[in-house]
Amino acid sequence: MTVDTTSRVPLRSRGHSALARLVPLSQSGFASEHWGRQPLVSRADELLTGAADLLGRDDVDELVSRRGLRTPFLRVARDGRTLGDREFTAGGGVGAGIADQVSDDKLLGHFAAGATIVLQGLHRTWGPIIDFTQQLAEELGHPVQANAYVTPRQSRGFDDHYDVHDVFVVQTSGEKQWRLRPPVRPAPLRDDPWTDHRSDVEEAARHDPAHEFTLRRGDVLYLPRGWIHSATALGGVSTHVTIGVHVWTRRHLADELATLAVEAASRSERVRGTLPLSPGGPRTASLDDDIEVAREALLEALRAVPATDVVAALQGRWRDTQRAAPVGPLAQVAAADDIGGDSCVRLRPHLGARLGGEPGGGARLTSRLPDLTVGEHDVGALIALVDDGVLRADMVGLDLTRRLLLAGLVVLDD
């Protein structure tokens, strides 16, 4: 039996997709007009269901004062400089002897003096943002992460710069004035940060911005990678969540092609052959022929790499960039202990699961968790679970259901 299917993933929250909470355009309209090309400012009253509730001021205070955050989940910037960790961290006290926990007392002093608080990795630490970013990543098909920037009145956190990933900026409180300038390095890659082009960025910043506007609560800015930007808080405290989209590019395809081609070319005995003696080190004249042998082998291998192999390799990287939906270990064990035939289970969201056939009639479930292999008699249950979304435990089989629960592959359906 050959099976190839992808897990069904819930893509809607309160009746609207994650992307629809950020832009007023259809997915196809956004993709054709703005994705990777042009900035887009979406006003709160244009969005049917916005994202301003992702992180409020009380939520920020909760995170920095009661959650025991450590670096690098928080950093602090002032006047274009990032403060050293010791300037805003301290020991955790009795029973928590950790030297780099965020100090709310130190943070209060810095914030009152005009520093910007940067909450990093909110896609790992704050529930509403965890859920939203996982949903958005599924819709876009590109990895997503989230930071928040909390800026005092009339303060500028960072100098003009560009990012090497696309961003959605969600203004959740206050107001912030933004200035955008076209890229000096179009479509920069991850290894091409703005600091490598500092003089060009500084020169661009001396000219009038191409776009200047103010974001208010509920407004959203989409900014493709490479666009130079800076922002200043107006009036009171400004909080915005930056959702970074680490886009896949054709460079990723080239990387996978090259890796697969080298593996294929290495099967040739000629390519594996030893180079001649070269006293004094390699010389062009003595290696010309060998270089051509390697070149031709690589070119032949590149042309022969199946597109399906490239996609499979990229799927593996895609699975590694995101997490499955959070799961409670205690709840899972309790569910496995108490499972009954009328209990309903569903595939854990955001697994990135694919079901493929195995020799002998079994099947292998590949996902963001370790692979799971089942025998032929359980294949039908897995197919139904992946395709139908929710099943009664007695339809799956109680033993298999317990196994899936303890592996974190399914959860009880509410």
Side-chain angles (χ1 to χ4, degrees):
M1 176 181 294
T2 299
V3 182
D4 187 3
T5 185
T6 303
S7 65
R8 180 171 298 178
V9 179
L11 295 183
R12 298 195 172 273
S13 173
R14 291 180 292 178
H16 300 287
S17 75
L19 184 60
R21 296 176 66 185
L22 301 175
V23 300
L25 307 175
S26 66
Q27 187 178 65
S28 59
F30 173 71
S32 62
E33 297 175 26
H34 294 279
W35 176 247
R37 297 180 181 87
Q38 292 291 327
L40 173 65
V41 176
S42 303
R43 298 302 179 182
D45 58 7
E46 298 177 309
L47 301 169
L48 294 176
T49 303
D53 58 348
L54 287 178
L55 185 77
R57 291 184 184 178
D58 290 344
D59 301 331
V60 173
D61 279 342
E62 167 81 13
L63 279 164
V64 301
S65 65
R66 295 180 178 273
R67 295 297 183 98
L69 288 185
R70 301 175 62 190
T71 56
F73 285 108
L74 186 141
R75 60 189 171 114
V76 182
R78 185 177 180 188
D79 299 327
R81 179 181 78 89
T82 299
L83 275 60
D85 293 352
R86 292 186 178 181
E87 297 181 68
F88 59 87
T89 61
V94 174
I98 300 170
D100 64 345
Q101 288 193 31
V102 172
S103 166
D104 45 8
D105 299 311
K106 289 183 178 181
L107 205 57
L108 170 60
H110 289 304
F111 189 68
T116 290
I117 298 171
V118 184
L119 290 161
Q120 301 191 134
L122 287 170
H123 59 292
R124 294 294 307 273
T125 61
W126 190 245
I129 292 180
I130 292 172
D131 296 340
F132 184 81
T133 53
Q134 288 191 313
Q135 183 178 336
L136 183 64
E138 290 287 350
E139 294 180 29
L140 298 178
H142 294 255
V144 171
Q145 52 88 218
N147 297 338
Y149 298 80
V150 188
T151 309
R153 60 180 65 87
Q154 304 295 334
S155 178
R156 177 174 57 86
F158 294 93
D159 291 332
D160 287 270
H161 66 284
Y162 68 73
D163 295 318
V164 294
H165 52 268
D166 292 18
V167 297
F168 291 95
V169 177
V170 182
Q171 190 74 26
T172 61
S173 69
E175 300 180 354
K176 184 163 282 189
Q177 185 180 38
W178 286 79
R179 293 163 296 278
L180 311 182
R181 295 173 173 86
V184 296
R185 179 68 170 170
L189 299 173
R190 296 287 297 168
D191 56 1
D192 198 15
W194 77 272
T195 49
D196 289 353
H197 305 276
R198 186 185 297 272
S199 60
D200 292 334
V201 171
E202 291 174 347
E203 174 60 27
R206 284 191 276 269
H207 297 278
D208 291 338
H211 306 282
E212 189 168 7
F213 51 86
T214 298
L215 292 184
R216 298 174 178 84
R217 187 179 187 276
D219 294 344
V220 180
L221 165 66
Y222 166 70
L223 195 62
R225 59 196 165 109
W227 275 78
I228 299 168
H229 56 280
S230 62
T232 302
L234 303 176
V237 173
S238 165
T239 303
H240 74 261
V241 176
T242 294
I243 300 169
V245 184
H246 294 255
V247 296
W248 299 114
T249 70
R250 292 186 182 92
R251 165 62 187 273
H252 291 100
L253 299 180
D255 287 344
E256 299 302 340
L257 275 168
T259 298
L260 293 168
V262 168
E263 291 176 358
S266 299
R267 300 186 191 107
S268 165
E269 187 175 344
R270 294 191 70 195
V271 172
R272 299 200 307 272
T274 303
L275 294 177
L277 294 176
S278 183
R283 285 180 169 79
T284 301
S286 63
L287 292 179
D288 269 347
D289 292 343
D290 300 286
I291 289 172
E292 288 308 309
V293 168
R295 190 196 312 275
E296 289 304 316
L298 274 175
L299 289 172
E300 182 180 351
L302 275 171
R303 296 188 188 101
V305 173
T308 52
D309 289 358
V310 178
V311 172
L314 198 61
Q315 284 175 342
R317 294 179 67 172
W318 170 75
R319 282 193 292 268
D320 291 342
T321 59
Q322 301 285 152
R323 300 170 64 227
V327 68
L330 275 64
Q332 289 293 104
V333 171
D337 288 343
D338 299 337
I339 197 73
D342 58 351
S343 301
C344 289
V345 295
R346 59 187 171 91
L347 208 63
R348 182 176 171 185
H350 309 301
L351 273 180
R354 302 189 75 84
L355 193 59
E358 284 283 285
R364 179 182 297 271
L365 186 68
T366 301
S367 71
R368 291 191 166 108
L369 302 181
D371 289 358
L372 178 90
T373 302
V374 298
E376 185 174 9
H377 61 286
D378 286 327
V379 171
L382 276 190
I383 293 174
L385 187 62
V386 171
D387 286 346
D388 296 338
V390 179
L391 285 182
R392 283 168 51 106
D394 56 5
M395 298 174 64
V396 179
L398 292 183
D399 288 342
L400 179 58
T401 300
R402 291 190 186 94
R403 182 182 174 192
L404 294 172
L405 281 165
L406 293 176
L409 291 165
V410 301
V411 294
L412 286 180
D413 183 66
D414 294 336

